[in-house]
Amino acid sequence: MRICLLALLLATGSHVTGSEEDRKPNFVLMMVDDLGIGDIGCYGNDTIRTPNIDHLAAEGVRLTQHIAAAPLCTPSRAAFHTGRYALRAGLGSIGRVQVLLFLGGSGGLPPTETTFAKKLQEQGYTTGLVGKWHLGVNCEHRGDHCHHPNTHGFSYFYGLPFTLFNDCNPGEGTDVLADLKNLLWRLTLMVALALLSLVCVRVLGLLEVSVSFIVAVTCLSLLAFSVWFIPFHFLRTWNCIIMRNQEVVEQPMVLDTLPQRLLGEAQGFIERNADRPFLLFLSLAHVHTPLFNSPGFAGKSRHGLYGDNVEEVDYMIGRMTETVDRLGLANNTMMYFTSDHGGFIEDRDHRGQKGGWNGIYKGGKAMGGWEGGIRVPGIFRWPGRLPAGRVVDTPTSLMDLYPTLTHLAGSTHSHRLLDGYNLMPVLEGRTDRSQHEFMFHYCGAYLNAVRWHPPGSESVYKVHFFTPNFSPPGAGGCYKTKLCFCDGHHVTHHNPPLIYDLYTDPSESRNLTSDTEPRYQEVLQQTARAVELHRATFTRAQPDMPHPLLEPAPNQLSWEKILWRPWLQPCCGTFPFCGCKENVSSTLA
């Protein structure tokens, strides 16, 4: 009898252990907006306090050459979600506008793209996105939600379908086509003066002008005025909204409580799904401008309001880690921390610097392939699975998240060409090199630079085909235009290209020549061949693929796609009288 009982207990215990081991891992991905790699303590900052992020790195793996696929929000995030360069999804711009500008536009992440959330959803995961999306909402009419997070694999969405930008906070100025808006104002004034002159000429009898003609011209002028004035003047109402799934719950959004609400929603999602496999992507509104002025953090750092915001981010990361640990999920949860691209170094006003610091790296946000705009923090923590304190120097990419997550979730391979690779062999210490021999760095739709990590070498060569023209001359950014652009007189093409060895010159300050680099000609030949093969992937069928890859997708950042259309505008209430306020007390309870 005792033997039978013992056998039964052993069998039961074995079954429980096997069930726990077989359970799919959870994923908590945390992305900051516009954070510079030099803003974090474990990446060299000794004045901004980030103890929670530093602790996350100490308990996990820190990547030192973690690369965003683009130096701006929309294309970088498209690549992150799909594991593919944004140009494949039509999100590489050939003009000045490189990100989505209006929620009422029709551009966004095409429904034909597959995100890691969609693949995990197919594997039984509960998936959630809390925070910023910035990859579109509607295609043809209000409510079709063709680009919405729910359509792209996130079972739950709470947050900003657009992004945080200065227009969301009255008094901070405008971020959206400010020069065009000023030009349209001047043209409007000129038309108004012309109409007034026409009326005066008729009244004085100097010229015979019919009343019907004046009325017709006035009506056309008013129509033209409304076409541009309504989208620009009411930007805060149109773009600064909060959605819960497909419902607008606040329009315009109130910024004062936004950090607490996003944190509370993220913690609540984990708590609700602690007993099943889940994926949570916490996409923070920090540290994009306008900066928050949260009680408890304002005035506490040594770097003004920007430093206060970074320290608030660190607090939020600490709370997320505490939630995972408190629920006993740590050993079965991969946590990941990063930024969508580098810091915005040109963003400053009379109060001081409002953008991030990119450490020793040249350039920043919107500066093509310069390292400061694409090298970002990358931290993975998974106790019991990943070695604590490991530092990885090999090139890795935000696009690697897709194949890494789908591999761990047991998903089948994508039928679409991926540009990222499974990171687990590198993270676990089974190898010191990633599969990225080459990486391609885009400025909009233009191939700006190529990174080559030769087999058997510590060198990482970067070849720049063109570089943005900094202004004023000698500055470290495009301060006159505030953002750098990718074509025309805004760039300088280099023949031969600029070449740097990031292993010995991470700040890209010493251009290599045939006299200073023995492998100079080899670098040019290898990168030229890699570019040829890379470009071919946009037009031809891939081996072992069931159908040709018709790439790239239609341009999602054309003027036709990005400009505001009233019938596409998400609205709380009856359009155009959009407006509502969320019950904050209930969401923070």
Side-chain angles (χ1 to χ4, degrees):
M1 180 67 178
R2 290 179 179 176
I3 294 175
C4 292
L5 182 61
L6 179 61
L8 180 62
L9 289 172
L10 288 173
T12 304
S14 175
H15 174 72
V16 170
T17 303
S19 175
E20 290 176 350
E21 290 178 351
D22 293 341
R23 178 179 168 179
K24 294 179 178 180
N26 308 310
F27 303 104
V28 176
L29 316 178
M30 301 170 290
M31 178 180 283
V32 189
D33 197 357
D34 287 17
L35 180 74
I37 192 172
D39 292 327
I40 305 301
C42 58
Y43 284 93
N45 194 304
D46 58 2
T47 56
I48 296 179
R49 296 165 297 186
T50 57
N52 294 302
I53 298 172
D54 298 343
H55 187 65
L56 199 71
E59 291 188 337
V61 180
R62 180 170 62 89
L63 309 178
T64 65
Q65 200 172 164
H66 200 41
I67 306 300
L72 277 169
C73 304
T74 296
S76 173
R77 290 166 183 269
F80 171 72
H81 283 285
T82 63
R84 294 151 49 85
Y85 289 106
L87 188 61
R88 301 192 190 280
L91 286 163
S93 172
I94 59 174
R96 62 170 289 184
V97 178
Q98 301 178 52
V99 299
L100 299 177
L101 295 182
F102 295 96
L103 268 182
S106 62
L109 187 63
T112 53
E113 288 294 322
T114 302
T115 65
F116 57 69
K118 175 70 77 174
K119 297 296 285 185
L120 266 62
Q121 197 176 53
E122 293 171 356
Q123 294 299 308
Y125 275 74
T126 301
T127 55
L129 192 165
V130 174
K132 171 178 173 174
W133 174 239
H134 206 184
L135 291 171
V137 177
N138 297 314
C139 284
E140 297 180 357
H141 59 85
R142 183 182 305 116
D144 67 32
H145 298 119
C146 69
H147 302 306
H148 190 279
N150 290 159
T151 303
H152 279 295
F154 288 101
S155 321
Y156 180 74
F157 170 64
Y158 176 88
L160 295 69
F162 190 61
T163 184
L164 183 65
F165 67 124
N166 281 332
D167 300 73
C168 296
N169 192 16
E172 289 286 347
T174 183
D175 286 332
V176 178
L177 301 175
D179 58 339
L180 178 60
K181 180 180 177 181
N182 291 334
L183 174 62
L184 291 170
W185 261 119
R186 291 194 294 269
L187 290 174
T188 300
L189 291 174
M190 291 173 61
V191 170
L193 287 172
L195 281 172
L196 181 60
S197 300
L198 196 62
V199 171
C200 292
V201 166
R202 185 184 188 281
V203 170
L204 295 173
L206 300 176
L207 185 65
E208 187 65 31
V209 182
S210 67
V211 174
S212 59
F213 176 77
I214 294 177
V215 170
V217 172
T218 301
C219 290
L220 287 174
S221 300
L222 288 173
L223 178 62
F225 171 72
S226 64
V227 164
W228 74 262
F229 181 78
I230 291 175
F232 279 109
H233 186 71
F234 297 101
L235 262 179
R236 182 167 175 257
T237 298
W238 305 142
N239 282 354
C240 305
I241 71 174
I242 295 176
M243 298 183 78
R244 187 184 301 278
N245 293 320
Q246 298 176 3
E247 178 188 2
V248 179
V249 296
E250 189 161 275
Q251 188 175 20
M253 64 184 172
V254 177
L255 299 185
D256 292 345
T257 58
L258 184 59
Q260 303 97 298
R261 282 187 280 172
L262 295 181
L263 178 59
E265 287 283 342
Q267 291 176 299
F269 180 87
I270 295 176
E271 292 166 352
R272 292 193 304 272
N273 297 287
D275 60 347
R276 68 190 69 143
F278 67 82
L279 159 73
L280 171 65
F281 177 34
L282 173 58
S283 179
L284 295 173
H286 297 71
V287 287
H288 200 291
T289 51
L291 297 171
F292 293 96
N293 194 19
S294 303
F297 298 96
K300 297 297 180 65
S301 80
R302 294 166 58 185
H303 283 275
L305 192 56
Y306 181 82
D308 299 343
N309 275 247
V310 175
E311 293 188 358
E312 184 173 15
V313 166
D314 182 75
Y315 165 79
M316 297 173 76
I317 300 305
R319 291 293 303 274
M320 292 298 296
T321 306
E322 184 273 333
T323 300
V324 169
D325 293 351
R326 171 172 52 84
L327 295 171
L329 301 174
N331 289 344
N332 196 45
T333 300
M334 173 187 276
M335 299 189 73
Y336 169 68
F337 173 83
T338 192
S339 175
D340 58 351
H341 51 71
F344 190 4
I345 62 176
E346 295 102 336
D347 200 358
R348 59 178 62 177
D349 61 14
H350 64 279
R351 295 168 293 184
Q353 182 70 22
K354 297 195 296 181
W357 183 49
N358 300 314
I360 64 172
Y361 305 108
K362 187 172 185 175
K365 175 179 179 177
M367 296 190 197
W370 286 126
E371 205 72 359
I374 55 177
R375 191 180 290 222
V376 296
I379 298 172
F380 287 87
R381 178 226 192 202
W382 190 352
R385 184 71 184 265
L386 301 182
R390 175 170 167 77
V391 178
V392 173
D393 296 322
T394 188
T396 58
S397 171
L398 267 68
M399 295 185 292
D400 295 336
L401 266 291
Y402 182 111
T404 303
L405 299 184
T406 53
H407 165 76
L408 291 169
S411 176
T412 56
H413 291 295
S414 172
H415 288 302
R416 313 205 73 184
L417 174 67
L418 296 181
D419 297 302
Y421 297 99
N422 176 20
L423 281 176
M424 289 308 293
V426 171
L427 297 178
E428 291 180 315
R430 287 182 275 136
T431 180
D432 289 328
R433 285 183 63 102
S434 74
Q435 293 178 259
H436 287 286
E437 182 178 351
F438 295 95
M439 282 188 187
F440 304 91
H441 307 303
Y442 282 88
C443 187
Y446 304 102
L447 183 58
N448 183 193
V450 177
R451 179 184 309 251
W452 179 39
H453 190 194
S457 173
E458 292 181 323
S459 290
V460 178
Y461 296 103
K462 176 95 82 68
V463 177
H464 289 263
F465 303 116
F466 66 87
T467 51
N469 295 331
F470 292 161
S471 58
C478 300
Y479 289 93
K480 285 188 176 180
T481 54
K482 196 170 182 179
L483 280 176
C484 295
F485 300 116
C486 302
D487 61 347
H489 68 277
H490 299 290
V491 301
T492 296
H493 290 267
H494 303 285
N495 186 18
L498 304 181
I499 303 177
Y500 302 96
D501 184 353
L502 298 176
Y503 179 70
T504 59
D505 180 26
S507 60
E508 297 174 282
S509 59
R510 299 189 299 274
N511 180 32
L512 300 177
T513 66
S514 57
D515 295 328
T516 60
E517 174 51 56
R519 303 185 70 172
Y520 181 83
Q521 290 299 330
E522 182 188 4
V523 172
L524 290 177
Q525 292 168 3
Q526 291 287 345
T527 53
R529 177 59 176 158
V531 168
E532 180 183 352
L533 294 174
H534 172 66
R535 284 178 169 157
T537 66
F538 287 86
T539 56
R540 62 181 172 85
Q542 298 301 306
D544 303 322
M545 294 291 179
H547 52 75
L549 298 175
L550 303 177
E551 303 192 33
N555 184 5
Q556 300 294 311
L557 294 173
S558 65
W559 286 108
E560 177 189 1
K561 290 279 190 178
I562 64 172
L563 290 181
W564 184 76
R565 291 173 173 80
W567 58 89
L568 297 178
Q569 176 61 48
C571 181
C572 176
T574 303
F575 185 86
F577 306 105
C578 307
C580 58
K581 186 174 181 181
E582 187 176 29
N583 185 348
V584 176
S585 60
S586 63
T587 62
L588 297 180

